[in-house]
């Protein structure tokens, strides 16, 4: 506090007394002498941080507990000095206890009742008292910082004003609010007091960390670099990895990365929040920290939002770092996961989806003990309505671990966001922000007249004719985006550019790629065509082949995984044969897909979502343009119909500021949040549960906005505890509330509180010893999480009514009755039936194109594509994994049933009958179509597959895969069989 005031207030005459210097005589002489010597124009600031005694005195270095009256500084002495001083204003900050028996800032001595409150003489007009707590409370320290809560709050409030002056009494509200929230986070009650007034207020410069602060708290020596990767070898990073970076990034480290190393000490193990645009080089900051951690013997993990990103990063890091001896694993919920190596600690770098990391960290607490670094990428996902709770609970888990001394380095990487709303303060992370991109980006809006309004790389707004008006003609019965996309794409591709056209649904994305393949006159993408799968194809598979013949492609969930990966590789390649890519918004989620120009044909979602793109979503799509190492300048173009709409979209998206950081917490979700938080602790008193909630960003923000929020929530928490006890999810152990094994399974799952109760109620109605585990696949369709998965249903007529009888045929006559439970209307029931029937056929090995045809009721409404099948299967697998945890706790005496659920999870992932699962032991991974072809040929295991002979194998899985399996040649088969 002294260093900050001394650095910030010009001409300040100051004195600091610390530890053995702070004797009774020295403090009394300094305080009383300063007050007595002050003149009518002087302002005096007195700050005391230390112990307070039960009788209301300040405890000094030489205070004797047995003689408080003679060796502590009494409030009476202070009050007299305050009364007699001539100073214009006195600000007194007392961060100590005034009574009580709690540890922290109270002297442990017998308490004495007070006859009067001795502080009353300290405040009044021109006399301001900022006290840490009420007379009956203790003042606490913030774990890990050494600050008293009041001192911490004062520093934060007076230094967090972006350089603007701070004034009393205005800043006092922020100080009190911060201190109360921090107290709630550590499970205590502390209510600071602000007393007194000043005519006209009291204004201070914002506190800054200057020379005195640097001298008092010298930073640890940081590895300093100028921007050359070669300097990193001197910092102890492996030379072969440094060489790889040098080859990949010819320009060296950029300004953002140099600042992360030099100013923020990311190579010294310092935690950091980085907020910067797409393509700014954030990922390399995390990569630098990870390699540094690993070379020091610490494990590093990357947490990512999507399985596709986990797989991409795993393959990329494996290729680059495995040759250097680094052990790389991934955990995304797939059969290929490295859960075993993670739990046993046999890895160096790990890649996890958010959900997998949280689940493993809760079920195996030792995971956190292993970690030296956590890199959470796409930190802005904390605002996501569906995924935000997981991100927030990960952060809350790490924050609570700090209090137990488990404090891995935390690097959070986020796209550009609006107001942080204390997000960095909640995480207690230094903030590195940048608006710069290594590749400049032009953003603008193009109307149907060909006029392009844009912000140039120099920040100025300009208007030009981008497409000659005569080139934009109506190509169909009605005007459409195709009228503009075709001439614009022709113009760009002719100049050698690679483009991405973002469409808001799968159908228009495929249609866009089709008409561009006809219009652009490009050569075929033969390299991709040669590696595409040939079995179990979808309706979109044929579309893709048509597009590739004309040098274009599309990227959406209707493509098989192998098809998507082939398209991504070819589009990324410097000399790739795909020049125009039409994609849905999922491509903007971080998958490496460099383009010179991106075109946004729409600016809103359709269907169930039905909302405009947020500014952040637009910026993420725009950020795909102009990737480092590919283009000198990127360009993002939004399409508009009229000049008026052009101006509106330009103002909203191009000039707009991304949305503020907010928690996804909603009061209606309180039961789910409390259950998830209780799963992170072994036991807690009921009155400590509000502290768990305040430790989340949502609770922290709500408490800052309304100091009474926690108190107002207490009744809801009490009612919830009663429900947990009645449902057998919690139990009392003396004063503690503990989750039972069943409650812990529910709390660490992906399911909402109400969904967990639904599942438990329905499963308890079954005789598990006689239940086919496949029936669970039908029952989980009643979960709110499965209802949230968009399922195309034709709502005209009664044609979809057949789905109820189809469910009965597949799962048993009573399944339709189960699916009617907790149902909100007929169409929700039919959607449940449709999902359940699709899933049954999927795991039964029915070809994809048959499933698509059978469940498409009408080509205009209720169309089922492979993307729908995959989304339903992935969602069912994800939530079935949670159900599996809960059922393991509910039916511990049914090991065969639970083991069969393991097999069901694998069948969902690959879409195979149970008898075909043995083929997955083959030495190479195959596609669903290849496995089904082998299964259809009679193979059930690797040995029976090899015994088919080379010719049959080649017919089933292709020549390359057949050779890798090592089947005997035709002449050898007879001998082998004999």
């Amino acid at each position: 506090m002294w260093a900050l005031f001394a650095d910030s207030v010009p001409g300040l005459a100051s004195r600091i007394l610390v530890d053995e210097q702070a004797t009774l005589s020295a403090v009394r002489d300094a305080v009383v002498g300063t007050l007595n010597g002050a003149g009518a124009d002087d302002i005096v600031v007195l700050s005391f941080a230390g112990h307070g005694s039960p009788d209301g005195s300040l405890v000094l270095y030489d205070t004797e507990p047995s003689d408080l009256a003679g060796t502590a500084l009494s409030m009476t002495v202070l009050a007299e000095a305050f009364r007699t001083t001539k100073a214009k204003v006195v600000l007194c900050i007392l961060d100590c206890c005034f009574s009580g028996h709690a540890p922290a800032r109270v002297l442990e001595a017998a308490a004495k009742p007070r006859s009067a409150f001795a502080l009353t003489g300290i405040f009044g007009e021109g006399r301001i008292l900022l006290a840490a707590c009420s007379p009956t409370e203790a003042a606490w320290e913030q774990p890990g910082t050494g600050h008293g809560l009041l001192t911490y709050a004062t520093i934060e409030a007076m230094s967090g004003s972006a350089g603007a002056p701070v004034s009393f009494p205005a800043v006092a509200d922020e100080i009190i609010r911060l201190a109360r929230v921090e107290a709630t986070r550590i499970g205590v009650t502390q209510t600071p007091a602000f007393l007194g007034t000043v005519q006209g207020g009291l204004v201070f410069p914002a506190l800054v960390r200057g020379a005195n602060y640097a001298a008092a708290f010298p930073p640890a020596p940081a590895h300093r670099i100028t921007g050359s990767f070669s300097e990193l070898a001197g910092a102890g990073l492996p030379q072969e990895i440094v060489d790889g970076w040098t080859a990949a990034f010819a320009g060296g480290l950029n300004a953002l990365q140099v600042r992360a190393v030099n100013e923020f000490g990311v190579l010294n193990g310092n935690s950091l929040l980085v907020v910067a645009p797409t393509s700014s080089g954030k990922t390399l900051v995390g990569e630098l920290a990870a390699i540094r951690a690993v070379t020091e013997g610490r494990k590093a993990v990357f947490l990512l939002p999507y399985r596709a990103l986990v797989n991409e990063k795993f393959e990329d890091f494996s290729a680059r770092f495995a040759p250097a001896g680094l052990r790389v694993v991934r955990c995304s919920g797939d059969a290929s996961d490295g859960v075993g190596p993670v739990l046993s600690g046999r890895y160096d770098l790990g890649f996890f989806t958010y959900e997998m990391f949280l689940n493993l960290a809760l079920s195996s607490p030792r995971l956190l003990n292993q970690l030296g670094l956590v890199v959470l990428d796409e930190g802005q996902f904390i605002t996501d309505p569906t995924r935000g709770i997981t991100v927030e609970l990960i952060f809350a888990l790490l924050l609570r671990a700090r209090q137990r001394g488990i404090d891995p380095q935390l690097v959070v990487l986020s796209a550009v966001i609006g107001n942080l709303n204390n997000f960095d303060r909640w995480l207690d992370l230094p903030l590195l922000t940048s608006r710069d991109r290594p590749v400049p980006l032009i953003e603008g809006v193009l109307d149907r007249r060909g006029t392009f309004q844009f912000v140039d790389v120099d920040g100025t707004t300009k208007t030009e004719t981008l497409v000659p008006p005569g080139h934009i003609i109506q190509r169909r019965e009605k005007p459409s985006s195709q009228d503009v996309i075709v001439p614009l794409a022709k113009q760009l591709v002719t100049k050698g550019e690679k483009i991405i056209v973002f469409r808001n649904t799968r159908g228009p994305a495929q249609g866009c790629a089709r008409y561009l393949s006809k219009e652009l006159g490009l050569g075929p993408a033969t390299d991709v065509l040669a590696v595409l799968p040939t079995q179990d194809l979808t309706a979109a598979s044929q579309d893709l082949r048509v597009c590739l013949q004309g040098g274009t492609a599309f990227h959406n969930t209707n493509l098989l995984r192998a098809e998507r990966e082939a398209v991504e590789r070819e589009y990324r390649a410097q000399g790739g044969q795909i020049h125009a890519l039409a994609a849905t918004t999922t491509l903007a989620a971080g998958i490496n897909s460099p383009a010179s120009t991106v075109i946004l044909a729409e600016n809103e979602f359709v269907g169930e979502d039905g909302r405009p793109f947020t500014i952040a979503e637009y910026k993420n799509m725009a950020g795909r343009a102009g990737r480092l190492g590919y283009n000198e300048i990127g360009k993002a173009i939004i399409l508009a119909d009229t000049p008026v709409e052009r101006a509106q979209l330009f103002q909203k998206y191009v000039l707009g500021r991304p949305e503020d950081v907010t928690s996804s917490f909603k009061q209606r979700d309180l039961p789910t949040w409390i259950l998830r938080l209780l799963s992170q602790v072994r036991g807690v008193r009921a009155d400590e549960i509000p502290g768990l909630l305040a430790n989340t960003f949502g609770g922290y923000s709500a408490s800052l906005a309304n100091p009474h929020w926690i108190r107002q929530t207490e009744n809801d928490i009490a009612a919830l505890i009663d429900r947990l006890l009645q449902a057998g999810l919690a139990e009392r152990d003396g004063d503690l509330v503990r989750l039972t094994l069943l409650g812990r399974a529910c709390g660490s799952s992906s399911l909402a509180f109400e969904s967990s109760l639904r599942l438990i109620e329905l499963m308890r109605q079954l005789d598990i010893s006689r239940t086919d585990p496949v029936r669970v696949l039908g029952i989980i369709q009643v979960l709110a999480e499965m209802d949230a998965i968009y399922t195309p249903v034709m709502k005209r007529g009664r044609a979809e009514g057949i789905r109820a009888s189809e469910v009965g045929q597949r799962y048993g006559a009573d399944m339709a009755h189960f699916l009617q439970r907790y149902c909100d209307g007929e169409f929700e029931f039919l959607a449940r039936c449709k999902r359940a029937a699709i899933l049954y056929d999927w795991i039964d090995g029915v070809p994809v194109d048959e499933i698509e045809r059978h469940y498409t009721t009408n080509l205009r409404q209720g169309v089922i594509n492979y993307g729908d099948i995959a989304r339903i299967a992935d969602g069912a697998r994800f939530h079935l994994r949670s159900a599996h945890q809960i059922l393991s706790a509910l039916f511990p005496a049914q090991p065969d049933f639970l083991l069969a659920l393991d097999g069901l999870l694998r069948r969902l992932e690959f879409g195979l009958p149970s008898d075909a699962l043995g083929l997955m032991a083959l030495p190479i991974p195959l596609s669903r179509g290849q496995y089904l072809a082998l299964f259809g040929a009679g193979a059930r295991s690797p040995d029976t597959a090899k015994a088919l002979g080379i010719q049959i194998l080649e017919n089933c899985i292709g020549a390359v895969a057949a050779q890798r399996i090592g089947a005997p040649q035709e002449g050898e088969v007879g001998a082998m069989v004999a």
Side-chain angles (χ1 to χ4, degrees):
M1 186 82 82
W2 168 84
L4 289 168
F5 269 88
D7 285 335
S8 309
V9 182
L12 180 72
S14 61
R15 185 176 178 187
I16 181 171
L17 298 171
V18 178
D19 295 335
E20 63 273 6
Q21 302 167 342
T23 62
L24 172 60
S25 61
V27 171
R28 182 172 53 206
D29 291 348
V31 173
V32 175
T34 299
L35 290 171
N36 287 345
D41 293 328
D42 288 331
I43 296 172
V44 178
V45 179
L46 165 65
S47 173
F48 176 85
H51 290 298
S53 72
D55 66 352
S57 299
L58 304 185
V59 176
L60 289 313
Y61 183 78
D62 54 352
T63 296
E64 289 290 340
S66 59
D67 182 20
L68 291 177
T71 59
L73 183 61
S74 93
M75 290 293 171
T76 304
V77 172
L78 283 180
E80 178 62 20
F82 277 40
R83 187 181 64 79
T84 58
T85 183
K86 296 178 180 178
K88 177 182 179 182
V89 178
V90 180
L91 169 61
C92 182
I93 303 171
L94 294 180
D95 195 354
C96 59
C97 299
F98 299 129
S99 67
H101 308 281
R105 295 183 177 268
V106 63
L107 183 71
E108 297 199 17
K112 292 182 183 176
R114 286 209 196 129
S115 57
F117 184 32
L119 291 179
T120 53
I122 292 183
F123 61 87
E125 173 57 38
R127 305 293 179 261
I128 299 176
L129 172 66
L130 188 56
C133 55
S134 72
T136 59
E137 293 175 348
W140 292 81
E141 286 191 358
Q142 188 186 45
T145 68
H147 286 311
L149 294 184
L150 178 66
T151 302
Y152 169 80
T154 303
I155 290 171
E156 286 291 299
M158 295 187 69
S159 63
S161 58
V166 292
S167 63
F168 284 90
V171 76
D173 289 340
E174 176 71 359
I175 293 171
I176 292 170
R177 185 162 59 245
L178 277 173
R180 286 176 61 127
V181 171
E182 292 298 323
T184 305
R185 288 177 70 181
I186 62 174
V188 299
T189 299
Q190 181 176 327
T191 311
F194 176 78
L195 305 166
T197 58
V198 177
Q199 188 81 24
L202 175 60
V203 179
F204 290 96
L207 300 182
V208 296
R209 290 161 173 78
N212 287 296
Y213 189 91
F217 305 101
H223 298 288
R224 298 194 66 82
I225 58 176
T226 61
S228 170
F229 281 105
S230 60
E231 297 169 296
L232 296 175
L237 277 63
Q239 184 65 54
E240 54 211 302
I241 291 178
V242 172
D243 291 342
W245 282 328
T246 303
F249 305 98
L253 290 106
N254 65 27
L256 178 81
Q257 295 148 2
V258 170
R259 287 188 66 199
V261 173
N262 291 350
E263 297 178 32
F264 292 87
V266 75
L267 291 183
N268 285 52
N270 294 347
S271 295
L272 179 63
L273 168 61
V274 183
V275 177
T278 302
S279 190
S280 61
K282 297 188 300 292
T283 303
L284 186 58
V285 173
E287 198 171 314
L288 290 168
I291 300 303
R292 178 66 180 175
V294 170
T295 57
E296 292 177 345
R298 299 181 288 134
K299 301 184 188 309
V301 297
F302 285 75
L303 313 185
L304 301 154
Y306 298 118
R307 281 191 302 142
L309 277 174
V310 168
N311 292 332
E312 180 186 290
K313 297 295 184 186
F314 168 77
E315 290 162 6
D316 175 37
F317 275 59
S318 296
R320 291 195 288 131
F321 298 138
L326 272 63
R327 299 167 297 175
V328 186
V329 299
R330 64 179 158 190
C331 289
S332 64
D334 288 344
S336 56
D337 280 354
V339 174
V342 166
L343 296 182
S344 60
R346 300 192 310 274
Y347 72 101
D348 300 303
L349 287 170
F351 294 88
F352 299 75
T353 56
Y354 299 148
E355 288 79 9
M356 283 299 295
F357 179 80
L358 182 60
N359 187 269
L360 285 173
L362 291 176
S363 59
S364 303
R366 65 181 181 274
L367 174 62
L368 288 185
N369 298 338
Q370 300 173 354
L371 299 181
L373 168 71
V374 176
V375 179
L376 191 140
D377 203 2
E378 308 292 348
Q380 73 276 4
F381 264 78
I382 193 169
T383 68
D384 186 85
T386 55
R387 314 288 299 287
I389 182 173
T390 303
V391 176
E392 197 160 332
L393 290 171
I394 289 172
F395 284 139
L397 184 69
L398 294 171
L399 292 177
R400 241 189 321 278
R402 285 181 191 171
Q403 299 175 15
R404 306 195 310 272
I406 302 169
D407 191 13
Q409 181 184 9
L410 175 60
V411 175
V412 181
L413 309 175
S414 173
V416 173
I417 40 186
N419 191 313
L420 287 175
N421 280 339
N422 299 298
F423 181 48
D424 54 331
R425 183 182 283 171
W426 173 63
L427 291 173
D428 194 21
L429 293 182
L431 174 64
L432 170 57
T433 60
S434 173
R435 299 276 173 177
D436 298 330
R437 287 169 45 103
V439 177
L441 178 65
I442 294 172
E443 296 180 64
V445 186
L446 175 70
D447 64 27
R448 289 182 65 88
R449 297 181 181 180
T451 302
F452 184 48
Q453 182 179 0
F454 63 99
V455 174
D456 209 342
V457 293
D458 61 3
T460 61
T461 297
K462 298 178 181 177
T463 303
E464 68 177 30
T465 298
L466 184 61
V467 181
H471 291 198
I472 299 175
I473 58 174
Q474 185 172 320
R475 296 170 174 271
R476 302 165 66 182
E477 292 181 8
K478 297 180 180 179
S480 71
S481 59
Q482 179 179 347
D483 305 339
V484 182
I485 291 173
V486 170
L488 177 59
K490 279 184 176 180
Q491 184 172 306
L492 296 171
V493 171
T494 300
K495 295 178 181 178
E497 292 197 31
K498 279 194 172 186
I499 64 172
I500 295 176
V501 183
F502 280 112
R503 306 304 304 264
N504 59 357
T505 56
R506 290 167 292 170
Q510 290 176 218
C512 180
R514 276 199 310 269
Y515 65 66
L516 286 178
S517 72
K518 296 176 182 177
E519 296 275 2
L520 296 182
L522 299 169
T526 52
D527 292 346
V528 188
L529 287 164
V531 298
L532 291 180
T534 58
Q535 293 154 311
D536 196 36
L537 302 183
T538 71
S541 297
Q542 184 56 38
D543 259 3
L544 178 63
R545 284 157 175 76
V546 171
C547 295
L548 289 170
Q549 290 292 344
T552 71
F554 55 89
H555 187 288
N556 62 28
T557 56
N558 282 344
L559 294 180
L560 300 172
R561 177 173 172 176
E563 292 170 335
R564 283 200 307 272
E565 290 175 348
V567 167
E568 290 166 13
R569 281 194 303 269
E570 187 65 17
Y571 187 77
R572 276 197 296 265
Q574 286 281 18
Q577 298 166 320
I578 298 175
H579 302 274
L581 183 66
T584 50
T585 56
T586 53
L587 189 68
I591 296 171
N592 185 15
S593 51
S596 50
T597 297
V598 298
I599 301 166
L600 285 77
E602 294 92 9
N603 48 74
E604 64 182 6
F605 294 102
V606 295
E608 303 260 319
D609 211 35
R611 62 172 178 81
F613 294 160
T614 65
I615 298 169
E617 286 164 340
Y618 155 72
K619 295 290 185 185
N620 214 10
M621 286 182 271
R624 296 297 110 190
R627 307 288 284 182
L628 188 61
Y630 291 85
N631 314 113
E632 295 301 319
I633 296 178
K635 187 179 293 182
I637 302 172
I638 305 174
L639 300 187
D641 283 334
T642 66
V644 171
E645 187 185 20
R646 183 194 74 216
Q648 292 171 340
L649 294 176
F650 183 80
Q651 188 68 35
K652 177 177 180 179
Y653 288 111
V654 177
L655 299 183
R657 175 180 172 179
E659 292 74 16
D660 295 346
V661 180
T662 56
S663 169
S664 62
F665 174 80
K666 299 291 184 292
Q667 194 72 22
R668 67 174 183 269
D669 299 325
L670 181 67
T672 299
W673 283 77
I674 295 297
L675 184 61
R676 301 271 186 96
L677 289 166
L678 287 175
S679 71
Q680 297 188 4
V681 296
R682 293 300 171 193
V684 64
R685 296 198 315 270
D687 60 359
E688 293 175 336
I689 293 175
L692 293 179
L693 195 59
N695 205 45
T696 66
F697 183 51
Y700 179 76
S701 301
S703 300
L704 283 177
N706 175 10
H708 306 293
W709 178 75
I710 286 292
R711 189 175 304 161
Q712 294 167 355
T713 306
E714 287 175 350
N715 289 338
D716 294 334
I717 293 175
L720 173 63
I721 296 302
D722 288 340
R723 288 190 69 191
L724 291 172
L725 294 169
Q726 293 169 9
L729 303 186
E731 59 191 3
R732 292 197 181 275
D733 181 7
D735 292 337
L736 298 181
V737 174
R738 299 183 189 276
L739 290 184
T740 61
L741 188 62
L742 179 59
R744 195 163 294 280
C746 294
S748 62
S749 77
S750 65
L751 302 183
F753 175 71
E754 298 296 341
S755 290
S756 297
L757 294 185
R758 287 184 189 183
L759 178 67
I760 292 168
E761 180 188 347
L762 293 179
M763 292 303 298
R764 279 176 168 161
Q765 296 176 23
L766 300 177
D767 180 354
I768 293 300
S769 63
R770 299 183 177 183
T771 297
D772 182 350
V774 172
R775 282 173 59 81
V776 179
L777 201 54
I779 288 174
I780 65 169
Q781 301 311 310
V782 305
L783 303 179
E785 290 78 4
M786 290 303 298
D787 282 333
I789 295 176
Y790 176 63
T791 308
V793 172
M794 191 175 78
K795 297 182 179 180
R796 294 176 183 172
R798 307 295 305 169
E800 295 279 21
I802 194 175
R803 307 306 173 199
S805 62
E806 289 177 338
V807 158
Q809 294 164 11
R810 288 161 173 76
Y811 292 93
D814 61 341
M815 183 54 68
H817 170 72
F818 279 108
L819 297 183
Q820 289 174 343
R821 296 292 303 277
Y822 317 105
C823 204
D824 186 20
E826 178 188 10
F827 291 115
E828 186 170 88
F829 167 66
L830 292 176
R832 290 176 175 181
C833 293
K834 196 168 186 177
R835 286 196 304 272
I838 286 171
L839 289 170
Y840 191 96
D841 289 0
W842 169 252
I843 65 172
D844 204 37
V846 176
V848 167
D849 60 344
E850 287 187 27
I851 299 176
E852 289 177 321
R853 284 195 301 271
H854 181 79
Y855 293 99
T856 294
T857 310
N858 183 292
L859 291 178
R860 291 182 176 272
Q861 195 179 36
V863 177
I864 293 293
N865 289 306
Y866 175 71
D868 302 301
I869 301 167
R871 185 175 62 247
I872 292 167
D874 285 345
R877 180 162 63 98
F878 180 71
H879 297 303
L880 181 61
R881 192 181 296 113
S882 290
H884 191 191
Q885 292 176 224
I886 295 170
L887 298 181
S888 296
L890 194 61
F891 305 114
Q894 299 291 336
D896 293 341
F897 178 82
L898 299 173
L899 188 62
L901 287 182
D902 283 329
L904 189 56
L905 286 167
R906 298 183 77 201
R907 293 176 66 188
L908 273 173
E909 180 176 352
F910 294 97
L912 298 176
S914 56
D915 289 346
L917 291 179
L919 292 170
M920 297 186 63
L922 285 164
I924 60 171
L926 301 175
S927 69
R928 180 181 191 248
Q930 291 171 313
Y931 284 125
L932 289 176
L934 290 174
F935 183 70
R940 299 293 184 272
S941 67
D943 287 342
T944 56
K946 292 177 182 179
L948 292 175
I950 193 68
Q951 190 59 54
I952 296 178
L953 272 180
E954 287 183 358
N955 291 340
C956 290
I957 61 177
V960 175
Q963 292 296 333
R964 290 183 64 188
I965 285 176
Q969 298 301 312
E970 290 299 333
E972 300 173 300
V973 174
M976 177 179 162
V977 173

